[in-house]
Amino acid sequence: MSLKGAKPRLDWPFAQQCDRAEDLGDLRDLLQIEFERLGFRYFCCCSHVPPDRPPQGAIYLVNYPKPWLVRYQAARHFLRDPVFLIGREQAHPFRWDDAKFRNMLEADQVAIMEEAAAHGLEHGVTIPLHGPGRYSASCSLVADGPDIDSDQVHLAQRYALYAYEAARALVGPAEGRPHVCLPRRERQCIELVALGKDDEDIAIILGIERETVRRYVESAKVRLGATKRPHAVAYAIYAQAINPEDIFGA
């Protein structure tokens, strides 16, 4: 199957179909259709968690050969799977035949990759799917041959990201990760506290009274269960009440 057969454009009806998906099986089927159209025979789009005991909020969308899935779990390969372990530390897609990836593998990990290849999972590329409020995850794509087109990988990445977010909406938040929603003014005040602003600075920026700022911050601390402002900022980030990208990403 050629990887150059489809032009790299996003099919927006795919996004609409993801939104209408009723379960993970629907999303898996949608991904399989699109990835096959791009020239990938197999895929595994999943959270980096033990597949034998997945926690709440974990996602597992895969069409790998069943004999490999049985072997993978029985041998507990997930504990040393280099694709998962290295994917946790990477921000950009990486190919399984890349010298940098191969040089990072230990002997048992090389054996895992060779065993996977024997099951038809040899020519692969892994796309990390990182983001706040979710488990580390990735989407691995496997082609029939080594000629993997970077444009197709880029388009597949967008499909994977959209399907993964749709899956998150179906399964709910990651286990053990709190989610606190602050009212708009309280959130704004905590974001500015995170930037090192004092009450007078915040009052000027938001166009409100200094005492009003203090009340908002104190109220936010109560919602967050914090006694000090640094604790409130740290927990607000952890509990997804504020987004670090919104604060420091500009």
Side-chain angles (χ1 to χ4, degrees):
M1 185 180 296
S2 172
L3 294 179
K4 300 181 181 296
K7 294 182 179 179
R9 66 176 184 83
L10 183 59
D11 182 10
W12 285 113
F14 170 82
Q16 295 174 328
Q17 291 170 5
C18 284
D19 290 338
R20 293 195 295 266
E22 297 183 358
D23 54 38
L24 296 185
D26 290 344
L27 291 172
R28 182 193 62 239
D29 293 344
L30 288 171
L31 280 177
Q32 181 162 338
I33 291 170
E34 297 304 327
F35 288 158
E36 286 184 352
R37 183 172 65 86
L38 293 175
F40 299 104
R41 181 181 297 274
Y42 298 117
F43 69 90
C44 179
C45 186
C46 59
S47 307
H48 296 163
V49 299
D52 57 341
R53 289 184 297 174
Q56 172 63 38
I59 294 166
Y60 201 55
L61 306 172
V62 60
N63 76 335
Y64 279 179
K66 188 173 181 179
W68 170 246
L69 295 176
V70 173
R71 169 61 182 167
Y72 184 88
Q73 184 161 313
R76 299 180 67 78
H77 282 332
F78 51 83
L79 296 176
R80 291 287 294 157
D81 182 351
V83 171
F84 275 14
L85 296 179
I86 294 174
R88 291 175 180 172
E89 308 298 328
Q90 298 286 337
H92 300 290
F94 58 92
R95 289 177 54 142
W96 298 355
D97 60 1
D98 185 271
K100 291 182 179 179
F101 172 72
R102 286 287 175 172
N103 289 338
M104 298 173 70
L105 306 188
E106 298 182 13
D108 64 325
Q109 295 176 320
V110 171
I112 291 174
M113 297 301 294
E114 291 176 348
E115 190 174 353
H119 284 81
L121 305 172
E122 180 178 7
H123 306 291
V125 59
T126 295
I127 303 168
L129 301 176
H130 302 315
R134 65 190 189 202
Y135 298 109
S136 171
S138 63
C139 183
S140 293
L141 306 167
V142 182
D144 289 337
D147 185 21
I148 298 178
D149 189 296
S150 60
D151 286 339
Q152 307 296 46
V153 173
H154 179 68
L155 182 54
Q157 181 175 24
R158 291 193 284 173
Y159 283 123
L161 285 168
Y162 204 102
Y164 195 85
E165 289 304 311
R168 289 183 65 206
L170 289 173
V171 303
E175 185 178 72
R177 187 72 182 270
H179 185 90
V180 176
C181 184
L182 294 176
R184 181 175 64 92
R185 282 302 196 191
E186 292 181 17
R187 185 184 71 253
Q188 290 174 332
C189 288
I190 293 298
E191 288 174 344
L192 290 169
V193 170
L195 288 172
K197 306 297 184 182
D198 60 21
D199 287 356
E200 185 172 354
D201 294 330
I202 297 173
I204 294 172
I205 292 170
L206 297 182
I208 57 180
E209 298 294 327
R210 180 174 179 176
E211 177 60 24
T212 303
V213 171
R214 189 193 68 80
R215 289 200 303 269
Y216 281 137
V217 172
E218 291 302 311
S219 178
K221 285 165 58 180
V222 171
R223 294 181 196 275
L224 296 165
T227 57
K228 301 291 185 180
R229 291 191 177 200
H231 180 203
V233 169
Y235 193 78
I237 293 174
Y238 173 70
Q240 308 168 73
I242 60 176
N243 187 346
E245 291 297 324
D246 294 338
I247 303 170
F248 306 110

